[in-house]
Amino acid sequence: MAVKRIARLKKFRSYALPAGMLLAGCAALASGLLPVPAFQALAARTVPILAFVVAMSLVTELVDEAGLFRVVTERLAALGRGRVLLLWFLAIALATVSTVFLSLDTTAVLVTPVVVLLAIHARIPPLPFALSTVWLANTASLLLPVSNLTNLLAQERLNLSPAAFASLVWAPALVGILVPLVLLWLAFRKDLRGKYGPQPVHKVRDRVLLYAASGVMVVLLPALVSGVPVQIPALAAAAALLLLFLWRRRSVLRWSMIPWRPLMLTSGLFMVVETLHANGLTQFLTGIAGTGQSLPALLQLAGLGTGAANAVNNLPAYLALEPVGGSPARLAALLIGVNLGPLVTPWASLATLLWHERLRSLNVEIRWGGFALAGVAAVVLTVPLAVVALWLTTGMQ
């Protein structure tokens, strides 16, 4: 009874902040602080994005239940051929592809446990694999609109196709992947030497589900970057997988697969920040965010985004600063700050908090002091270099 009571208390506490934020947004709307026309415009813009978030959460949960991530991990272990450094590179590739095409939260929730367990089973120190995963979950999330919720918001504001969005940010996105990896290799190169033994192979529970889920992903990934509104293929994939599981294994379907807490928190944040904008936030931020598209101006905006993300969270930081973006280059600089910058504080991105939850369930300890110091080193190098790459490739003078 005591254990159940503690579990219920923890669950209640986990919902306190999301519910409070949603109630604050509703209160702002009811009181008139958030004007109804502004709310209607906000809803028209964000409901499709939230539908995408729900659909992709269902897709990744069901694909994981089908065993696809476990199979991919076993293939990585085999491809590593017993060499720790090669296995690390393969884990990096998995985390990068997962982040770019499925979002940073997917990497934090699903890739983290399989990569860390792979290291533990191979008797390799798990910290290099764990830290690589969370850094890439953030810094590899700049290339495509689907990689990060902030990108989807920016894409909608700029009215760019996925290809046009990628052509705007490809250079800073490359910096965001390579610079942190160089730092990680320098920090952990001794741990990444040597060899590991054969890994256990798990029996596939349901090959029909596995092959069907793989087929859905093969169709979904190119559809997400085809230019079709991303919620359409995501919802179609979620529906297909739900039907498959209703047919083959309905017992695993549960309401907790819907990301209630992130959904409540995100909806509340949208409403609260829109309320602040309706009451003078934009005018205040214009004075400290700078203007223009010179290199110093872009560095100023990216730095402000980085600081705001680590102080509060990357999503409200983006929402607050979006109106002072003003141009594709400035908005890209803001994305550099809020996507590549949240490496210092644990609350800077939801992905970091989800990553930490997974590590705790695996009994892997993280010292936040060391995490913050390493993050500062990464941010100080990565964000300015990414801004320089943006400035050079967009022809700013």
Side-chain angles (χ1 to χ4, degrees):
M1 290 295 292
V3 174
K4 290 183 178 180
R5 191 178 299 112
I6 292 172
R8 285 197 297 268
L9 181 60
K10 287 183 178 179
K11 186 176 181 180
F12 173 79
R13 287 177 176 174
S14 70
Y15 276 89
L17 177 60
M21 189 61 66
L22 183 58
L23 287 172
C26 292
L29 178 62
S31 66
L33 287 173
L34 175 57
V36 172
F39 172 74
Q40 291 173 334
L42 176 69
R45 181 185 181 196
T46 58
V47 167
I49 293 174
L50 294 176
F52 168 79
V53 170
V54 173
M56 285 304 297
S57 296
L58 288 172
V59 167
T60 52
E61 287 276 1
L62 293 174
V63 165
D64 185 47
E65 288 285 353
L68 181 58
F69 280 93
R70 186 181 296 277
V71 170
V72 169
T73 304
E74 291 173 356
R75 296 292 184 271
L76 293 182
L79 290 171
R81 300 186 178 184
R83 297 166 59 187
V84 175
L85 183 60
L86 180 55
L87 183 65
W88 182 62
F89 283 136
L90 291 169
I92 286 168
L94 176 62
T96 301
V97 170
S98 170
T99 301
V100 170
F101 289 99
L102 298 177
S103 88
L104 71 170
D105 294 339
T106 297
T107 299
V109 172
L110 297 181
V111 175
T112 296
V114 295
V115 168
V116 171
L117 283 174
L118 179 61
I120 291 173
H121 291 159
R123 298 182 180 179
I124 304 168
L127 185 58
F129 289 78
L131 194 58
S132 300
T133 304
V134 74
W135 274 16
L136 286 171
N138 288 286
T139 64
S141 69
L142 187 61
L143 184 60
L144 294 176
V146 297
S147 308
N148 199 319
L149 181 55
T150 56
N151 297 357
L152 284 172
L153 292 167
Q155 180 202 21
E156 190 274 341
R157 187 174 183 88
L158 293 171
N159 194 26
L160 295 175
S161 68
F165 183 92
S167 69
L168 173 66
V169 299
W170 70 268
L174 189 61
V175 171
I177 294 171
L178 294 179
V179 173
L181 289 183
V182 170
L183 295 175
L184 287 165
W185 180 80
L186 290 172
F188 294 110
R189 59 189 182 278
K190 292 182 179 179
D191 293 327
L192 297 173
R193 296 172 181 169
K195 294 183 175 295
Y196 61 92
Q199 296 299 292
V201 177
H202 296 84
K203 185 178 179 180
V204 176
R205 182 175 178 181
D206 188 328
R207 290 189 179 276
V208 173
L209 267 182
L210 175 62
Y211 294 149
S214 302
V216 168
M217 294 303 292
V218 168
V219 174
L220 175 61
L221 295 186
L224 290 175
V225 296
S226 66
V228 176
V230 290
Q231 70 272 14
I232 295 175
L235 288 167
L241 287 169
L242 283 169
L243 289 174
L244 281 168
F245 273 83
L246 283 171
W247 171 44
R248 301 289 298 183
R249 202 192 307 166
R250 66 174 61 209
S251 60
V252 305
L253 299 177
R254 55 193 184 277
W255 286 108
S256 60
M257 286 182 168
I258 298 175
W260 298 110
R261 285 181 295 171
L263 199 59
M264 293 165 65
L265 180 63
T266 302
S267 301
L269 283 171
F270 282 150
M271 296 172 71
V272 168
V273 175
E274 187 64 29
T275 301
L276 294 174
H277 280 305
N279 290 275
L281 179 63
T282 303
Q283 291 82 354
F284 170 75
L285 291 176
T286 299
I288 61 175
T291 58
Q293 300 180 157
S294 65
L295 179 58
L298 296 179
L299 287 169
Q300 180 180 357
L301 183 54
L304 184 59
T306 299
N310 284 289
V312 186
N313 179 267
N314 65 333
L315 181 57
Y318 173 82
L319 291 171
L321 291 164
E322 184 189 61
V324 300
S327 70
R330 282 184 61 81
L331 209 55
L334 174 58
L335 288 175
I336 290 171
V338 299
N339 288 11
L340 276 57
L343 302 180
V344 181
T345 59
W347 56 81
S349 77
L350 177 62
T352 303
L353 295 174
L354 295 172
W355 168 82
H356 186 242
E357 284 185 6
R358 288 297 186 268
L359 292 186
R360 288 182 61 186
S361 68
L362 298 171
N363 295 317
V364 176
E365 182 181 354
I366 293 295
R367 296 180 180 178
W368 288 117
F371 178 90
L373 288 174
V376 168
V379 167
V380 166
L381 288 173
T382 306
V383 170
L385 288 174
V387 173
V388 170
L390 172 70
W391 180 69
L392 291 173
T393 54
T394 53
M396 296 300 143
Q397 299 296 328

